[in-house]
Amino acid sequence: MRFQLIDKIVSLKPGESITTIKNVSLAEEYLADHFPGFAVMPGVLMLEAMTQSAAWLIRVTDDFKDSIVVLQEARNVRYNHFVQPGETLTLQVQILDRKPGQTKVKAEGFLGDQTALSARLVLSHHNIGDKVPSLGWKDAEMADEMRRIYSLIRCD
């Protein structure tokens, strides 16, 4: 199962930064088990939302050149507040450094003006066809799907 955790891109400056939001709803299935009687967004999904925000920044900056954008490393991850149903997690990501196939970012998540979590992330990005040329056709298919999703969540 793939979770699309970003509900909306609020602002985006290609090559620089992105601000996104994740609205936490009681209808999300994972909340039934995390935790019974005290529903909160799991920390790993908060981290995934930051990663997805960074991935959108990379995709748009590079005009969807790479079909694969994944978390390579998470450092200095700090969780400061629970995120509960009915709350909006605002995620801000800023590019710190870019090399071919790798981007380092500073990421923070906020509940209003309070920091809910923060981290330094390294994302790896490449195409499937780079390593397995016979699967290169999948890169264009995945890029098209990411463009479709982007059209639904982008800021106007």
Side-chain angles (χ1 to χ4, degrees), residues 83-112:
V83 180
Q84 297 180 290
E87 294 183 319
T88 297
L89 180 63
T90 301
L91 301 143
Q92 296 178 348
V93 177
Q94 178 183 8
I95 292 177
L96 299 175
D97 185 47
R98 285 182 52 94
K99 297 177 184 172
Q102 186 182 78
T103 301
K104 294 179 182 180
V105 301
K106 173 185 173 185
E108 297 176 290
F110 297 92
L111 292 174

